[in-house]
């Protein structure tokens, strides 16, 4: 519940370029019961501010929060400066940093001559300052201009918040346009999109309606086309769109037939303004067009560099085979050697083909051949992955520290920018990237931009996994272009030959399902049942899993869809009763239609890098503290993510959901001891080869399929998953043809 605090701003602990503050505040007055004990004491506050001056009095509106690390804080959503009214306060204000060169002496003189209400008098007529002895015209102008500036900025920000912008957005707008803010807002509010302010089209359009802007206003239509194009590519994964699809989307949004000639004009205008790129009837957002071209140019440079030559690679590999009791097959040896010789290389293969094992060997050989110490290795070689889960797995498997691409590039969450970029490059010499199938085109481009041209890059991934969530299909396009040397690992590694999971994965990949796929194996079971009986059978199976001594935290059930009779939502509800039934000893909390209970398995839905948890992480509710006994006065949910316990307050409860059953897409980059996958006709529109393949390859020790065999066979043969419109492959091939012609 919103409340207010009044007092003096003491100092900043942290500030950002966008006006985010963490600071100290001396509390004089409040209507907040929790904070009433802190009157006459210092508290911590957070929020977005245009300007704060140490020692000045403010009223902050917002609510108290209990940060898991930093304790009690006041989160500010609105604020106002309290103009000083007593003599001492006005003197202090006029001699503050807001009025440079005024000083305490002159400030005192102004107050003595003009009185306590001097600030209002000066704003009404600055010439009144001429009554102050020995004051110069220059200082009169300085005092008036700064006082007016401060007063106007506050009024503008208040106006923007009244229009519907939050404080963060209001500050961003004012800091961008300053004194021109009101004229720009009233002239063309859609300019906010043109100037790349981090404010959604829908919010700007909402304000536009309040300002009575015509729904067919040229500025609105141009902004709407860009918004629709962004929505479409992020939904489809395409990097370019077709004319008709954009036109149809515009007509649907406006709910009217739009003149095609006018539509053409808008597209051409957007092209001329470098917001849209048109190439062979392919329509790109400018940033995506540039990303694709930039990737091609980087690869062109890497392919043109001389290859590395080492004389004793073969003998070192043989030595390591004897030392570690490993026998590499011919393709694995080629992958190891090529990784050290090529400037860019792709290694692809399914589970059990030894990708991680040879990555470890590549790292060790690189260290030996270049005679590098541990510190030198940390400077020269980086292991990168798209997700925190994948980084953890890679670190455990290789013994070398791996990190996410975002962390490597020093991602700023607030500004959505990278500190490592084309102007501030990283100087590592060898980059190995795992799980490349999950990387989208723009992230791949950002990574390339942050690396020097004198770099060695190894791309590792499974060609047959699902593509990235965001636009592009980088690994597929790179491999299909045949421009970069690619090693396809096919043979199952020695330790995996007895695993039917890996054998089945291989069969699915090649669409060569053996007739005995229904036969039970040591690590695999297919339990046949009808679609309508999946829920009942899954409940019984879950009971059996518990009876056999499995920890439900290591068992992961996965399905393709959230809704329907066998959807994730209803299955989560069923399995909560099995894996974590109601118990008077366990606290629980109902949020909407869902009840969360202590010991529930949950799935994280958003990245929270400050807490070291990421989208797709699995945790367990450690405890639920009711509002009546919590220190914050709010219900608190503590979730354990692999011994990292994170506190969630009500405003964060939408950041997780039950994780007894998760989607196959959410499972990417993870592995689980036991995987159970329902196979139902009710999923048929979502069941295709890559999805099934991705799901079963998440299983480390045990795979159980439950459902209809004919549906499974149909899914394996269905290779018609949504085809993405991308042009990276074609551009790489064109680049390569041009090089070969020289």
């Amino acid at each position: 519940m919103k409340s207010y605090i009044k007092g003096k701003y003491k100092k900043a602990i942290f500030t950002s370029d966008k006006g985010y503050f963490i600071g100290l505040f001396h509390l004089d007055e409040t209507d907040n019961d929790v904070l009433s004990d802190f009157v006459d004491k210092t508290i911590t506050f957070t929020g977005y501010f245009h300007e704060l001056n140490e020692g000045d009095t403010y009223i902050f509106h917002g609510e108290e929060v209990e940060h898991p690390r930093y304790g009690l804080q006041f989160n500010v959503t609105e604020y106002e400066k309290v103009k000083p009214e007593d003599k001492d306060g006005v003197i202090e204000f006029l001699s503050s940093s807001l009025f440079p060169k005024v000083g305490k002496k002159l400030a005192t003189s102004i107050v003595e001559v003009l009185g306590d209400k001097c600030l209002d008098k000066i704003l009404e007529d600055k010439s009144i300052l001429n009554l102050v002895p020995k004051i110069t015209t220059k200082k009169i102008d300085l005092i008036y201009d700064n006082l007016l500036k401060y007063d106007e900025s506050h009024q503008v920000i208040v106006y923007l918040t009244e229009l519907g912008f939050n404080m963060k957005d209001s500050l961003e707008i004012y800091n961008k346009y300053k004194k021109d803010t009101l004229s720009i807002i009233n002239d063309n509010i859609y300019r906010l999109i043109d100037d790349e302010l981090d404010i959604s089209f829908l919010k700007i359009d909402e304000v536009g309606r309040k300002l009575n802007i015509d729904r067919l206003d040229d500025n609105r239509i141009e902004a709407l086309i860009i918004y629709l194009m962004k929505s479409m590519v992020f939904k489809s994964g395409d990097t370019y769109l077709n004319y008709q699809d954009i036109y149809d989307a515009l007509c649907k949004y406006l709910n009217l037939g739009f003149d095609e000639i006018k539509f053409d004009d808008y597209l051409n205008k957007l092209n001329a303004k470098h917001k849209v790129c048109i190439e062979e009837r392919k329509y790109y957002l400018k940033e995506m067009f540039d990303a694709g071209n930039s990737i091609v140019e980087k690869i062109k440079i890497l392919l043109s560099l001389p290859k590395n030559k080492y004389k004793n690679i073969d003998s070192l590999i043989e030595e390591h085979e004897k030392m570690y009791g490993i026998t590499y097959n011919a393709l694995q040896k080629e992958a190891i050697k090529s990784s050290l010789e090529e400037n860019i290389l792709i290694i692809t293969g399914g589970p059990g083909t030894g990708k991680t094992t040879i990555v470890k060997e590549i790292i060790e050989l690189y260290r030996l051949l270049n005679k590098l110490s541990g510190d030198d290795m940390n400077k020269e070689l980086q292991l990168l992955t798209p997700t925190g889960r994948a980084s953890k797995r890679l670190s455990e498997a290789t013994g070398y520290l791996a990190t996410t691409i975002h962390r490597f590039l020093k991602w700023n969450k607030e500004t959505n920018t990278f500190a490592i970029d084309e102007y501030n490059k990283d100087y590592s010499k060898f980059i190995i990237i795992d799980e490349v199938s999950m990387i989208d085109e723009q992230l791949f481009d950002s990574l390339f931009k942050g690396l020097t041209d004198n770099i060695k890059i190894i791309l590792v991934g499974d060609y047959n996994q699902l593509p990235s969530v965001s636009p592009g299909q980088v690994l597929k396009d790179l491999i299909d272009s045949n421009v970069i040397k690619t090693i396809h690992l096919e043979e199952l590694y020695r330790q995996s030959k007895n695993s039917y999971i890996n054998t089945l994965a291989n069969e699915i990949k090649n669409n060569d399902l053996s007739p005995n796929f229904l036969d039970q194996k040591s690590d695999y079971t297919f339990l046949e049942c009808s679609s309508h009986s999946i829920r009942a059978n899954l409940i019984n199976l879950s009971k059996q899993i518990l009876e056999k001594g499995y920890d439900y935290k290591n068992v992961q059930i996965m399905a393709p869809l959230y809704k329907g009779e066998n959807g994730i939502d209803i299955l989560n509800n069923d399995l909560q009763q099995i894996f974590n039934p109601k118990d008077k000893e366990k606290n629980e909390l109902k949020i909407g239609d869902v009840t969360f209970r202590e010991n529930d398995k949950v799935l994280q839905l958003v990245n929270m890098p400050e807490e070291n948890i990421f989208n797709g992480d699995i945790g367990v509710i450690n405890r639920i503290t009711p509002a009546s006994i919590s220190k914050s006065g709010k219900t608190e949910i503590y979730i354990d993510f692999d011994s990292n316990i994170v506190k969630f307050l009500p405003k964060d409860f939408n950041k997780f959901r039950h994780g007894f059953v998760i989607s196959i897409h959410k499972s990417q980059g993870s592995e689980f001891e036991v995987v159970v996958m329902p196979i139902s006709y009710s999923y048929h529109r979502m069941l295709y080869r890559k999805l099934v393949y991705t799901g079963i390859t998440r299983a480390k020790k045990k795979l159980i399929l439950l459902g209809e065999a004919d549906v499974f066979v149909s899914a394996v043969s269905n290779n018609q998953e949504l085809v993405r419109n991308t042009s990276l492959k074609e551009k790489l091939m064109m680049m390569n043809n041009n090089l070969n012609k020289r």
Side-chain angles (χ1 to χ4, degrees), residues 392-584:
K392 185 179 178 182
R393 282 176 49 208
L394 188 60
S395 295
E396 291 170 349
T398 62
Y400 289 85
L401 180 65
T403 189
T404 65
I405 296 171
H406 280 77
R407 185 165 289 182
F408 171 74
L409 295 175
K410 299 180 181 178
W411 178 54
N412 185 321
K413 180 184 177 182
E414 189 179 331
T415 61
N416 195 29
T417 57
F418 297 110
I420 301 297
D421 56 19
E422 61 264 51
Y423 309 109
N424 182 34
K425 294 181 181 287
D426 179 86
Y427 286 89
S428 301
K429 295 182 178 180
F430 194 4
I431 304 286
I432 301 175
I433 312 164
D434 198 13
E435 298 284 3
V436 178
S437 64
M438 298 176 66
I439 302 175
D440 63 82
E441 204 162 293
Q442 284 189 286
L443 180 58
F444 197 66
D445 176 49
S446 295
L447 176 60
F448 269 13
K449 280 186 169 71
L451 302 174
T452 66
D453 292 340
N454 186 29
I455 189 76
K456 177 189 291 293
I457 298 175
I458 308 302
L459 306 171
V460 184
D462 189 345
Y463 180 70
N464 295 284
Q465 295 280 358
L466 291 169
S468 59
V469 175
S470 297
Q473 47 186 14
V474 172
L475 184 60
K476 183 178 188 311
D477 281 349
L478 293 179
I479 293 174
D480 289 350
S481 72
N482 289 315
V483 169
I484 300 168
K485 183 174 182 177
T486 302
I487 309 294
H488 295 266
L489 302 177
E490 299 287 347
E491 186 180 340
L492 292 181
Y493 201 51
R494 185 172 69 182
Q495 292 96 324
S496 303
K497 286 182 178 178
N498 295 324
S499 167
Y500 187 72
I501 297 171
N502 294 329
T503 300
L504 181 63
N506 220 32
E507 291 176 357
I508 292 171
K509 179 182 68 177
N510 297 319
N511 192 22
D512 188 25
L513 198 62
S514 67
N516 67 343
F517 76 90
L518 291 173
D519 297 347
Q520 185 162 336
K521 309 293 191 302
S522 62
D523 62 348
Y524 167 81
T525 302
F526 196 118
L527 299 175
E528 287 191 270
C529 67
S530 70
S531 273
H532 299 301
S533 63
I534 278 179
R535 285 178 63 190
N537 278 278
L538 187 57
I539 289 170
N540 289 330
L541 175 62
S542 299
K543 290 177 180 177
Q544 293 172 24
I545 287 172
L546 290 179
E547 288 168 1
K548 289 181 179 180
Y550 286 102
D551 184 347
Y552 73 91
K553 297 168 189 173
N554 297 322
V555 177
Q556 191 56 65
I557 296 135
M558 298 187 303
L561 294 173
Y562 283 93
K563 304 301 179 183
E565 65 171 338
N566 295 314
I568 292 169
D569 291 341
I570 199 165
L571 292 179
N572 260 318
N573 186 59
D574 287 344
L575 296 183
Q576 182 192 38
Q577 313 313 316
I578 305 302
F579 291 129
N580 190 33
K582 188 177 180 68
D583 188 325
K584 63 180 182 181

Side-chain angles (χ1 to χ4, degrees), residues 198-234:
D198 187 25
I199 306 171
S200 72
F201 168 83
L202 294 177
K203 171 53 68 176
I204 293 169
D205 203 38
E206 182 186 324
V207 175
R209 286 194 295 273
K210 289 182 181 178
L211 296 172
N212 296 316
I213 294 173
D214 191 291
R215 64 198 295 260
L216 296 179
D217 178 89
D218 286 347
N219 295 317
R220 181 179 187 251
I221 298 299
E222 287 185 20
L224 177 56
I225 290 172
I226 297 296
Y227 164 71
L228 291 171
M229 288 182 69
K230 286 182 178 179
S231 300
M232 291 165 72
V233 296
F234 278 95

Side-chain angles (χ1 to χ4, degrees), residues 580-613:
N580 190 33
K582 188 177 180 68
D583 188 325
K584 63 180 182 181
E585 299 296 322
K586 299 174 185 173
N587 288 325
E588 59 182 48
L589 175 69
K590 191 169 184 179
I591 303 174
D593 297 329
V594 180
T595 298
F596 289 94
R597 187 173 297 137
E598 290 173 346
N599 286 341
D600 273 352
K601 185 159 72 170
V602 293
L603 173 73
Q604 181 70 10
L605 300 175
V606 298
N607 291 330
M608 294 173 62
E610 68 278 9
E611 303 292 351
N612 198 33
I613 53 173

